[in-house]
Amino acid sequence: EAQVTQNPRYLITVTGKKLTVTCSQNMNHEYMSWYRQDPGLGLRQIYYSMNVEVTDKGDVPEGYKVSRKEKRNFPLILESPSPNQTSLYFCASSPQGIGGYTFGSGTRLTVV
Amino acid sequence: EDQVTQSPEALRLQEGESSSLNCSYTVSGLRGLFWYRQDPGKGPEFLFTLYSAGEEKEKERLKATLTKKESFLHITAPKPEDSATYLCAAQLSGNTPLVFGKGTRLSVIA
């Protein structure tokens, strides 16, 4: 089944403890992206990648890092999480950044 | 600033009561307009892509249309299972990221 897989689905952590949210797609898509979704603010892009070793900042990149060493994987790294990063995170992919994205099921992150 | 605005924020319909959701955009050089459905706690699910004014796409009880300034998602004879948040997003020329609206939360009551 074609899909984008994120892990974990739920995560509660403490301020300052580094964490990684993994994202993997099995559709050979070149484009991958991370979004966060907050009530009243909608979906906002954090980072995106047009291809392996190519990443760019989205609208809200502060406090996040990404890497794209392989085509299928696009992990999101929070080096020192803070409570304002509590949110619902989605990974998405598409063939070339054009057209409809396939989204993962989401990761609900709580930073206390 | 490029913007996508959806209205209404929330819509409550009786089963079988047709209606339309609106998505207006103020982006120059629109490459595509996209509609998604999102169920609570899940990722958005892609529904339609519209590329040019006058274009229409249909799927079951849903029909999406596009003009030069806005898009409509028409829901004909909705059922309770159509209850969800519907998101629209615009993409500018080139491989620029999607700009999402905040969504319309649709509730269909049996």
Side-chain angles (χ1 to χ4, degrees):
Chain A
E1 180 188 352
Q3 60 185 0
V4 175
T5 302
Q6 293 179 230
N7 281 296
R9 287 294 310 277
Y10 302 92
L11 179 59
I12 301 175
T13 190
V14 297
T15 299
K17 184 177 181 181
K18 181 179 178 179
L19 67 92
T20 299
V21 183
T22 64
C23 173
S24 179
Q25 51 95 2
N26 63 359
M27 297 165 282
N28 202 37
H29 286 170
E30 292 183 359
Y31 180 93
M32 298 186 74
S33 179
W34 277 103
Y35 283 84
R36 62 178 289 174
Q37 188 173 39
D38 302 288
L41 297 177
L43 280 162
R44 294 179 293 167
Q45 191 179 56
I46 303 170
Y47 270 95
Y48 64 98
S49 169
M50 296 297 298
N51 213 325
V52 175
E53 301 293 359
V54 179
T55 62
D56 273 303
K57 295 178 181 179
D59 296 321
V60 288
E62 294 77 21
Y64 304 94
K65 285 176 57 178
V66 292
S67 67
R68 188 92 181 274
K69 294 184 171 59
E70 306 167 279
K71 198 171 189 177
R72 63 182 293 128
N73 296 323
F74 191 44
L76 179 70
I77 302 157
L78 284 72
E79 294 270 3
S80 183
S82 62
N84 64 11
Q85 293 178 297
T86 293
S87 186
L88 181 57
Y89 291 86
F90 290 104
C91 181
S93 73
S94 75
Q96 290 181 329
I98 304 167
Y101 293 174
T102 301
F103 280 83
S105 298
T107 296
R108 186 168 293 280
L109 172 66
T110 302
V111 183
V112 297
Chain B
E1 181 183 336
D2 299 320
Q3 280 195 322
V4 175
T5 304
Q6 293 187 245
S7 62
E9 286 187 22
L11 181 62
R12 188 180 172 98
L13 299 174
Q14 292 293 319
E15 184 173 3
E17 179 186 2
S18 302
S19 189
S20 297
L21 313 182
N22 177 264
C23 171
S24 64
Y25 58 93
T26 56
V27 298
S28 54
L30 182 75
R31 181 161 196 172
L33 191 291
F34 307 90
W35 283 96
Y36 291 83
R37 169 191 170 126
Q38 186 175 23
D39 292 299
K42 296 189 176 182
E45 175 189 351
F46 171 66
L47 293 173
F48 302 112
T49 305
L50 301 165
Y51 290 112
S52 56
E55 189 175 359
E56 297 183 353
K57 293 276 180 72
E58 279 190 75
K59 181 180 179 180
E60 296 181 352
R61 295 177 292 281
L62 300 177
K63 183 168 82 172
T65 61
L66 182 65
T67 72
K68 288 186 177 181
K69 299 269 188 188
E70 57 193 348
S71 178
F72 293 93
L73 184 66
H74 307 278
I75 303 177
T76 302
K79 298 182 177 182
E81 53 262 42
D82 294 322
S83 298
T85 295
Y86 291 86
L87 302 168
C88 77
Q91 187 170 35
L92 309 181
S93 298
N95 295 328
T96 53
L98 295 186
V99 177
F100 279 88
K102 294 180 182 178
T104 293
R105 190 172 63 254
L106 174 67
S107 300
V108 182
I109 312 303

